[in-house]
Amino acid sequence: MLLARTFSLYVKEAQLLCHAQKKKTTKSPTVSSPLTHSIFLLLLFFPSTAFMCLLTILDFARINASDLCRSSAGTQSKNLANLLKSEAETLVRTYIEAQGEGFPQSSSECKEEVSGFPVGDITARESPEMLQSIYFTLKSIDRHFKTILQQLSDLGFPATDPLQMKLKVAQERVLHLAANIKCMLTVPPPEVKIPPSVTIRGIYKQKKYGCTVLRKYSEFLTQVVRGLSHQTGTKLKKRYIHSHHARLQRLP
């Protein structure tokens, strides 16, 4: 009897947790006193059962939080990718203009060897593979941005310089996008340690490296925007079809 009552209570508690997640509240849901009392009794007389009850509550909340994450991350990722893409061309131009006379005024001339960017069109891949490729590339871009910022600092660019500030904002948004993409993946990506950048000797070669990274970054974002737009559109289409079929099944 006690076990049945407790099971009913922790299911209700799990629903409260799910409801609190959907409201995106920062407050923890209040644990009802009957649940606390029942679990206390279970801890006294049936400790293993009480432990399993607690694990079930936590697992229920985790699964619903994960589903909620995936349901909102798609739209957020697409919007953020569009914002980054719209700012990428300005970032490239700002970088080139800051390099002074004698530096190529077109990013098409920046063709240094740069690792960490995918080969080919990622939008042609299956959705899970595409999302993993986007995630790992964004992590590599973060490493490249750190290198460029360090190079600019070594060249005497102050932290308040417009180029430095734009790069830092872009880097922060890249990490946010990577977190959203990770959330969209059904299976979490393996943790891969991004190798440090190879030391580039010579100021001119460092400038060409920075220009190449930003050019490839802009080109990569074009693919990301296209891939995420298709991803979101496909999900909406599937959701509409499922809803339409459900309505038809309810008809007499």
Side-chain angles (χ1 to χ4, degrees):
M1 187 71 180
L2 178 61
L3 180 60
R5 174 178 169 77
T6 303
F7 181 80
S8 175
L9 285 170
Y10 78 65
V11 168
K12 289 181 181 179
E13 186 63 28
Q15 290 173 343
L16 284 175
L17 285 169
C18 180
H19 182 68
Q21 286 286 348
K22 288 181 179 178
K23 285 188 172 183
K24 295 184 179 179
T25 178
T26 56
K27 295 181 179 179
S28 300
T30 304
V31 179
S32 60
S33 55
L35 177 63
T36 306
H37 179 67
S38 298
I39 289 181
F40 176 73
L41 291 176
L42 280 174
L43 283 171
L44 287 177
F45 300 107
F46 307 100
S48 60
T49 304
F51 181 68
M52 290 302 297
C53 289
L54 289 171
L55 285 180
T56 304
I57 292 172
L58 293 174
D59 194 52
F60 186 90
R62 179 186 60 79
I63 291 171
N64 280 277
S66 177
D67 289 341
L68 179 64
C69 174
R70 281 195 289 272
S71 67
S72 60
T75 301
Q76 291 177 4
S77 298
K78 188 180 74 170
N79 293 339
L80 186 52
N82 274 301
L83 175 62
L84 285 169
K85 173 56 185 169
S86 67
E87 296 174 343
E89 289 298 325
T90 303
L91 187 58
V92 174
R93 286 197 301 271
T94 303
Y95 183 87
I96 289 175
E97 290 169 1
Q99 305 313 308
E101 294 183 7
F103 192 79
Q105 294 302 297
S106 172
S107 62
S108 61
E109 297 185 43
C110 300
K111 299 177 180 178
E112 296 295 304
E113 289 291 329
V114 175
S115 63
F117 288 90
V119 178
D121 187 357
I122 61 171
T123 61
R125 305 176 186 180
E126 293 295 325
S127 178
E129 185 184 355
M130 181 192 73
L131 291 174
Q132 277 208 14
S133 178
I134 292 174
Y135 175 76
F136 290 129
T137 304
L138 290 171
K139 299 294 283 186
S140 293
I141 289 170
D142 172 54
R143 183 249 301 174
H144 285 307
F145 277 14
K146 286 177 182 175
T147 302
I148 296 173
L149 285 166
Q150 184 59 52
Q151 290 174 352
L152 291 174
S153 179
D154 293 342
L155 290 172
F157 284 78
T160 55
D161 181 81
L163 175 57
Q164 286 249 49
M165 293 177 71
K166 286 180 180 179
L167 268 169
K168 287 175 182 176
V169 169
Q171 182 187 24
E172 187 175 317
R173 287 174 175 163
V174 161
L175 290 175
H176 286 165
L177 180 57
N180 280 347
I181 296 296
K182 185 176 182 179
C183 182
M184 290 173 67
L185 287 163
T186 307
V187 178
E191 290 300 325
V192 177
K193 187 175 181 180
I194 305 297
S197 298
V198 177
T199 302
I200 303 170
R201 301 189 181 279
I203 293 176
Y204 186 76
K205 286 188 73 67
Q206 288 180 1
K207 292 180 177 181
K208 291 289 287 288
Y209 160 81
C211 177
T212 303
V213 167
L214 295 179
R215 176 181 65 80
K216 284 181 169 288
Y217 165 68
S218 179
E219 293 171 352
F220 169 70
L221 286 174
T222 300
Q223 294 189 42
V224 173
V225 169
R226 188 166 65 249
L228 291 180
S229 296
H230 175 72
Q231 172 94 0
T232 307
T234 302
K235 282 190 174 182
L236 288 174
K237 184 178 178 181
K238 287 181 178 178
R239 193 178 303 167
Y240 169 78
I241 292 173
H242 178 75
S243 176
H244 181 63
H245 284 174
R247 286 197 298 271
L248 288 177
Q249 289 175 356
R250 288 196 296 267
L251 291 176

